[in-house]
PDB file of all heavy atoms in Angstrom:
ATOM      1  N   TYR G 196     107.701  95.741  78.919  1.00 97.00           N
ATOM      2  CA  TYR G 196     108.500  96.804  79.551  1.00 97.00           C
ATOM      3  C   TYR G 196     109.621  96.202  80.393  1.00 97.00           C
ATOM      4  O   TYR G 196     110.781  96.650  80.329  1.00 97.00           O
ATOM      5  CB  TYR G 196     107.595  97.679  80.422  1.00 97.00           C
ATOM      6  CG  TYR G 196     108.340  98.699  81.245  1.00 97.00           C
ATOM      7  CD1 TYR G 196     108.788  99.886  80.687  1.00 97.00           C
ATOM      8  CD2 TYR G 196     108.617  98.463  82.600  1.00 97.00           C
ATOM      9  CE1 TYR G 196     109.484 100.825  81.444  1.00 97.00           C
ATOM     10  CE2 TYR G 196     109.314  99.394  83.366  1.00 97.00           C
ATOM     11  CZ  TYR G 196     109.737 100.569  82.780  1.00 97.00           C
ATOM     12  OH  TYR G 196     110.444 101.479  83.522  1.00 97.00           O
ATOM     13  N   LEU G 197     109.311  95.175  81.180  1.00 97.00           N
ATOM     14  CA  LEU G 197     110.322  94.536  82.021  1.00 97.00           C
ATOM     15  C   LEU G 197     111.425  93.897  81.181  1.00 97.00           C
ATOM     16  O   LEU G 197     112.615  93.965  81.535  1.00 97.00           O
ATOM     17  CB  LEU G 197     109.665  93.481  82.909  1.00 97.00           C
ATOM     18  CG  LEU G 197     108.736  94.015  84.013  1.00 97.00           C
ATOM     19  CD1 LEU G 197     107.902  92.889  84.600  1.00 97.00           C
ATOM     20  CD2 LEU G 197     109.544  94.700  85.103  1.00 97.00           C
ATOM     21  N   GLU G 198     111.065  93.300  80.077  1.00 97.00           N
ATOM     22  CA  GLU G 198     112.074  92.676  79.203  1.00 97.00           C
ATOM     23  C   GLU G 198     112.972  93.730  78.569  1.00 97.00           C
ATOM     24  O   GLU G 198     114.167  93.481  78.352  1.00 97.00           O
ATOM     25  CB  GLU G 198     111.382  91.816  78.155  1.00 97.00           C
ATOM     26  CG  GLU G 198     110.734  90.566  78.756  1.00 97.00           C
ATOM     27  CD  GLU G 198     110.096  89.661  77.718  1.00 97.00           C
ATOM     28  OE1 GLU G 198     109.881  90.117  76.567  1.00 97.00           O
ATOM     29  OE2 GLU G 198     109.805  88.492  78.052  1.00 97.00           O
ATOM     30  N   ASP G 199     112.410  94.924  78.315  1.00 96.00           N
ATOM     31  CA  ASP G 199     113.242  96.014  77.814  1.00 96.00           C
ATOM     32  C   ASP G 199     114.248  96.461  78.868  1.00 96.00           C
ATOM     33  O   ASP G 199     115.400  96.795  78.550  1.00 96.00           O
ATOM     34  CB  ASP G 199     112.364  97.206  77.409  1.00 96.00           C
ATOM     35  CG  ASP G 199     111.596  96.959  76.118  1.00 96.00           C
ATOM     36  OD1 ASP G 199     111.970  96.031  75.369  1.00 96.00           O
ATOM     37  OD2 ASP G 199     110.620  97.694  75.868  1.00 96.00           O
ATOM     38  N   VAL G 200     113.821  96.479  80.135  1.00 95.00           N
ATOM     39  CA  VAL G 200     114.733  96.824  81.223  1.00 95.00           C
ATOM     40  C   VAL G 200     115.877  95.815  81.275  1.00 95.00           C
ATOM     41  O   VAL G 200     117.051  96.186  81.428  1.00 95.00           O
ATOM     42  CB  VAL G 200     113.986  96.870  82.568  1.00 95.00           C
ATOM     43  CG1 VAL G 200     114.963  97.029  83.734  1.00 95.00           C
ATOM     44  CG2 VAL G 200     112.972  98.010  82.581  1.00 95.00           C
ATOM     45  N   GLN G 201     115.535  94.552  81.164  1.00 95.00           N
ATOM     46  CA  GLN G 201     116.557  93.503  81.181  1.00 95.00           C
ATOM     47  C   GLN G 201     117.520  93.671  80.008  1.00 95.00           C
ATOM     48  O   GLN G 201     118.745  93.546  80.156  1.00 95.00           O
ATOM     49  CB  GLN G 201     115.885  92.124  81.126  1.00 95.00           C
ATOM     50  CG  GLN G 201     116.808  90.962  81.406  1.00 95.00           C
ATOM     51  CD  GLN G 201     117.460  90.394  80.139  1.00 95.00           C
ATOM     52  OE1 GLN G 201     117.092  90.797  79.029  1.00 95.00           O
ATOM     53  NE2 GLN G 201     118.420  89.509  80.303  1.00 95.00           N
ATOM     54  N   GLY G 202     116.969  94.002  78.852  1.00 94.00           N
ATOM     55  CA  GLY G 202     117.796  94.162  77.664  1.00 94.00           C
ATOM     56  C   GLY G 202     118.737  95.341  77.729  1.00 94.00           C
ATOM     57  O   GLY G 202     119.781  95.361  77.056  1.00 94.00           O
ATOM     58  N   SER G 203     118.397  96.342  78.571  1.00 93.00           N
ATOM     59  CA  SER G 203     119.257  97.523  78.694  1.00 93.00           C
ATOM     60  C   SER G 203     120.252  97.401  79.839  1.00 93.00           C
ATOM     61  O   SER G 203     120.900  98.371  80.216  1.00 93.00           O
ATOM     62  CB  SER G 203     118.393  98.775  78.897  1.00 93.00           C
ATOM     63  OG  SER G 203     117.644  98.679  80.101  1.00 93.00           O
ATOM     64  N   GLY G 204     120.362  96.195  80.418  1.00 92.00           N
ATOM     65  CA  GLY G 204     121.370  95.946  81.442  1.00 92.00           C
ATOM     66  C   GLY G 204     120.906  96.124  82.869  1.00 92.00           C
ATOM     67  O   GLY G 204     121.739  96.199  83.782  1.00 92.00           O
ATOM     68  N   GLY G 205     119.606  96.166  83.082  1.00 92.00           N
ATOM     69  CA  GLY G 205     119.094  96.333  84.433  1.00 92.00           C
ATOM     70  C   GLY G 205     119.461  95.173  85.346  1.00 92.00           C
ATOM     71  O   GLY G 205     119.497  94.015  84.914  1.00 92.00           O
ATOM     72  N   LYS G 206     119.750  95.479  86.612  1.00 94.00           N
ATOM     73  CA  LYS G 206     120.122  94.455  87.592  1.00 94.00           C
ATOM     74  C   LYS G 206     118.918  93.941  88.379  1.00 94.00           C
ATOM     75  O   LYS G 206     118.935  92.827  88.892  1.00 94.00           O
ATOM     76  CB  LYS G 206     121.163  95.020  88.564  1.00 94.00           C
ATOM     77  CG  LYS G 206     122.457  95.453  87.895  1.00 94.00           C
ATOM     78  CD  LYS G 206     123.171  94.279  87.227  1.00 94.00           C
ATOM     79  CE  LYS G 206     124.498  94.710  86.643  1.00 94.00           C
ATOM     80  NZ  LYS G 206     125.180  93.581  85.940  1.00 94.00           N
ATOM     81  N   CYS G 207     117.880  94.744  88.490  1.00 96.00           N
ATOM     82  CA  CYS G 207     116.635  94.326  89.118  1.00 96.00           C
ATOM     83  C   CYS G 207     115.580  95.376  88.813  1.00 96.00           C
ATOM     84  O   CYS G 207     115.900  96.508  88.442  1.00 96.00           O
ATOM     85  CB  CYS G 207     116.776  94.129  90.631  1.00 96.00           C
ATOM     86  SG  CYS G 207     117.158  95.622  91.559  1.00 96.00           S
ATOM     87  N   SER G 208     114.323  94.998  88.951  1.00 97.00           N
ATOM     88  CA  SER G 208     113.228  95.930  88.726  1.00 97.00           C
ATOM     89  C   SER G 208     112.320  95.883  89.949  1.00 97.00           C
ATOM     90  O   SER G 208     111.940  94.796  90.403  1.00 97.00           O
ATOM     91  CB  SER G 208     112.453  95.552  87.462  1.00 97.00           C
ATOM     92  OG  SER G 208     111.666  96.635  87.021  1.00 97.00           O
ATOM     93  N   VAL G 209     111.972  97.047  90.480  1.00 97.00           N
ATOM     94  CA  VAL G 209     111.287  97.128  91.765  1.00 97.00           C
ATOM     95  C   VAL G 209     109.890  97.715  91.607  1.00 97.00           C
ATOM     96  O   VAL G 209     109.714  98.784  91.024  1.00 97.00           O
ATOM     97  CB  VAL G 209     112.088  97.992  92.761  1.00 97.00           C
ATOM     98  CG1 VAL G 209     111.340  98.119  94.083  1.00 97.00           C
ATOM     99  CG2 VAL G 209     113.480  97.409  92.978  1.00 97.00           C
ATOM    100  N   ILE G 210     108.898  97.011  92.112  1.00 97.00           N
ATOM    101  CA  ILE G 210     107.548  97.544  92.272  1.00 97.00           C
ATOM    102  C   ILE G 210     107.061  97.141  93.661  1.00 97.00           C
ATOM    103  O   ILE G 210     106.978  95.956  93.985  1.00 97.00           O
ATOM    104  CB  ILE G 210     106.574  97.050  91.176  1.00 97.00           C
ATOM    105  CG1 ILE G 210     105.131  97.430  91.513  1.00 97.00           C
ATOM    106  CG2 ILE G 210     106.702  95.541  90.972  1.00 97.00           C
ATOM    107  CD1 ILE G 210     104.869  98.908  91.585  1.00 97.00           C
ATOM    108  N   PHE G 211     106.809  98.116  94.499  1.00 97.00           N
ATOM    109  CA  PHE G 211     106.311  97.870  95.856  1.00 97.00           C
ATOM    110  C   PHE G 211     105.288  98.968  96.109  1.00 97.00           C
ATOM    111  O   PHE G 211     105.641 100.128  96.280  1.00 97.00           O
ATOM    112  CB  PHE G 211     107.461  97.955  96.865  1.00 97.00           C
ATOM    113  CG  PHE G 211     107.276  97.104  98.099  1.00 97.00           C
ATOM    114  CD1 PHE G 211     108.282  96.247  98.530  1.00 97.00           C
ATOM    115  CD2 PHE G 211     106.107  97.157  98.845  1.00 97.00           C
ATOM    116  CE1 PHE G 211     108.135  95.468  99.667  1.00 97.00           C
ATOM    117  CE2 PHE G 211     105.941  96.380  99.979  1.00 97.00           C
ATOM    118  CZ  PHE G 211     106.958  95.529 100.395  1.00 97.00           C
ATOM    119  N   ASP G 212     104.011  98.611  96.087  1.00 95.00           N
ATOM    120  CA  ASP G 212     102.980  99.645  96.113  1.00 95.00           C
ATOM    121  C   ASP G 212     101.755  99.153  96.867  1.00 95.00           C
ATOM    122  O   ASP G 212     101.691  98.003  97.312  1.00 95.00           O
ATOM    123  CB  ASP G 212     102.618 100.046  94.685  1.00 95.00           C
ATOM    124  CG  ASP G 212     102.123 101.479  94.574  1.00 95.00           C
ATOM    125  OD1 ASP G 212     102.031 102.167  95.604  1.00 95.00           O
ATOM    126  OD2 ASP G 212     101.830 101.913  93.444  1.00 95.00           O
ATOM    127  N   ASP G 213     100.751 100.018  96.964  1.00 95.00           N
ATOM    128  CA  ASP G 213      99.549  99.721  97.739  1.00 95.00           C
ATOM    129  C   ASP G 213      98.893  98.421  97.301  1.00 95.00           C
ATOM    130  O   ASP G 213      98.519  98.261  96.132  1.00 95.00           O
ATOM    131  CB  ASP G 213      98.528 100.845  97.585  1.00 95.00           C
ATOM    132  CG  ASP G 213      99.016 102.159  98.175  1.00 95.00           C
ATOM    133  OD1 ASP G 213      99.897 102.116  99.047  1.00 95.00           O
ATOM    134  OD2 ASP G 213      98.505 103.217  97.762  1.00 95.00           O
ATOM    135  N   GLY G 214      98.719  97.510  98.251  1.00 96.00           N
ATOM    136  CA  GLY G 214      98.002  96.281  97.949  1.00 96.00           C
ATOM    137  C   GLY G 214      96.555  96.538  97.596  1.00 96.00           C
ATOM    138  O   GLY G 214      95.921  95.741  96.898  1.00 96.00           O
ATOM    139  N   GLU G 215      96.013  97.670  98.063  1.00 95.00           N
ATOM    140  CA  GLU G 215      94.615  97.995  97.788  1.00 95.00           C
ATOM    141  C   GLU G 215      94.341  98.244  96.312  1.00 95.00           C
ATOM    142  O   GLU G 215      93.190  98.287  95.890  1.00 95.00           O
ATOM    143  CB  GLU G 215      94.198  99.219  98.624  1.00 95.00           C
ATOM    144  CG  GLU G 215      94.059  98.941 100.110  1.00 95.00           C
ATOM    145  CD  GLU G 215      95.397  98.837 100.836  1.00 95.00           C
ATOM    146  OE1 GLU G 215      96.412  99.350 100.289  1.00 95.00           O
ATOM    147  OE2 GLU G 215      95.446  98.244 101.926  1.00 95.00           O
ATOM    148  N   LYS G 216      95.403  98.419  95.521  1.00 96.00           N
ATOM    149  CA  LYS G 216      95.226  98.523  94.068  1.00 96.00           C
ATOM    150  C   LYS G 216      94.686  97.220  93.490  1.00 96.00           C
ATOM    151  O   LYS G 216      94.179  97.203  92.372  1.00 96.00           O
ATOM    152  CB  LYS G 216      96.560  98.845  93.385  1.00 96.00           C
ATOM    153  CG  LYS G 216      97.053 100.257  93.577  1.00 96.00           C
ATOM    154  CD  LYS G 216      98.351 100.464  92.806  1.00 96.00           C
ATOM    155  CE  LYS G 216      98.804 101.914  92.863  1.00 96.00           C
ATOM    156  NZ  LYS G 216     100.033 102.131  92.082  1.00 96.00           N
ATOM    157  N   PHE G 217      94.817  96.150  94.235  1.00 97.00           N
ATOM    158  CA  PHE G 217      94.400  94.830  93.770  1.00 97.00           C
ATOM    159  C   PHE G 217      93.046  94.453  94.373  1.00 97.00           C
ATOM    160  O   PHE G 217      92.910  93.422  95.010  1.00 97.00           O
ATOM    161  CB  PHE G 217      95.456  93.785  94.131  1.00 97.00           C
ATOM    162  CG  PHE G 217      96.786  94.005  93.458  1.00 97.00           C
ATOM    163  CD1 PHE G 217      97.717  94.864  94.003  1.00 97.00           C
ATOM    164  CD2 PHE G 217      97.097  93.361  92.272  1.00 97.00           C
ATOM    165  CE1 PHE G 217      98.945  95.085  93.386  1.00 97.00           C
ATOM    166  CE2 PHE G 217      98.316  93.563  91.651  1.00 97.00           C
ATOM    167  CZ  PHE G 217      99.239  94.433  92.201  1.00 97.00           C
TER     168      PHE G 217
END
Side-chain angles (χ1 to χ4, degrees):
Y196 173 80
L197 291 167
E198 291 183 344
D199 287 343
V200 172
Q201 191 269 352
S203 62
K206 299 298 184 182
C207 65
S208 197
V209 178
I210 170 63
F211 209 130
D212 208 359
D213 295 337
E215 289 76 20
K216 287 182 174 182
F217 296 85

